[in-house]
Amino acid sequence: MIVDSLVVGALQVNCYLLGCEETQEAVIIDPGDQPDDVLHLLAKHGWQLTQIINTHAHFDHILGVAAVKAATGAPFYLHQAELPLVADMRQRVMLWLGYDPGEPPTVDGFLAPGAAVHWGKQSLEMRWTPGHSPGSITFVDHTGRRAFVGDALFAGSIGRTDLPYGNHQQLLTAIRQQIFTLPDDYAVLPGHGPATTVGREKRTNPFFDDDADEL
């Protein structure tokens, strides 16, 4: 699997493009804005986009979805519990960024944690990591020993839970059960900010100080 990325939008979202070298097929995670830049990156690699998959549906992670869909024909998938956030996108953008982005993207199907996303000869395991949002998903690339965690976990921090549908305790539990159970050397690729590792966050993340004796 070849992984490329770019930072998009006013809230600086990490958008990840994952390609299969053998088949030249790709999926994209969280095209949050700047669809022209996303499409340019796709064209640079010469990949065919087969799916748009999102860790969650806060507006900063889905603003570019509609344009990428229109240009590539790729279907858009996320967890069904994220539908209220998709529906709320337009209002939230007007509130936060002060402009009308138009209608939210159409969701073509739903991701089921415990299953896998497949394209070309590649796959990602899906783990449900709610708390930042109700249907947040972590995508795990076991071959590459990395996890795309969205806004569940950051280097030295966790996702905010004061937004609608957030749940602080649920998020802590999900991280412990679904991310910290991965091997320590797995890279953690978050929705914002720098990469880290599972082991580093288990040892040093201040939100898990109570776990220190157990880790």
Side-chain angles (χ1 to χ4, degrees), residues 92-197:
R92 289 288 162 182
V93 172
M94 288 190 287
L95 179 65
W96 282 65
L97 303 181
Y99 74 92
D100 184 355
E103 292 297 322
T106 300
V107 180
D108 299 296
F110 301 115
L111 301 173
V117 174
H118 296 280
W119 75 103
K121 297 183 178 180
Q122 307 298 324
S123 66
L124 297 169
E125 180 196 356
M126 292 184 283
R127 297 189 174 198
W128 184 43
T129 46
H132 176 65
S133 71
S136 287
I137 291 177
T138 288
F139 298 103
V140 183
D141 168 22
H142 289 289
T143 301
R145 304 185 75 79
R146 55 196 160 204
F148 303 88
V149 301
D151 290 2
L153 180 65
F154 302 118
S157 190
I158 62 171
R160 60 187 297 178
T161 55
D162 58 333
L163 299 171
Y165 310 105
N167 186 310
H168 183 76
Q169 191 56 51
Q170 187 182 42
L171 178 57
L172 295 178
T173 298
I175 293 169
R176 289 188 181 104
Q177 293 181 351
Q178 302 297 334
I179 300 176
F180 283 178
T181 53
L182 293 168
D184 282 2
D185 69 317
Y186 271 43
V188 170
L189 303 175
H192 304 267
T196 180
T197 67

Side-chain angles (χ1 to χ4, degrees), residues 57 62 76 78 81-92 102-105 107 165:
I62 66 170
F76 172 42
L78 42 58
E82 295 295 287
L83 287 178
L85 299 180
V86 176
D88 196 37
M89 183 199 82
R90 193 171 191 173
Q91 180 179 353
R92 289 288 162 182
E103 292 297 322
V107 180
Y165 310 105

Side-chain angles (χ1 to χ4, degrees), residues 2-8 13-19 24-31 33-49 68 72:
I2 300 172
V3 178
D4 206 344
S5 65
L6 66 165
V7 178
V8 299
V13 169
N14 293 328
C15 170
Y16 299 99
L17 189 63
L18 285 55
Q24 298 298 297
E25 294 174 306
V27 300
I28 193 166
I29 300 174
D30 293 354
D33 208 342
Q34 297 170 225
D36 289 345
D37 293 335
V38 170
L39 294 169
H40 177 76
L41 185 62
L42 186 67
K44 184 184 82 169
H45 288 286
W47 291 340
Q48 177 187 356
L49 191 66
V68 173
T72 65

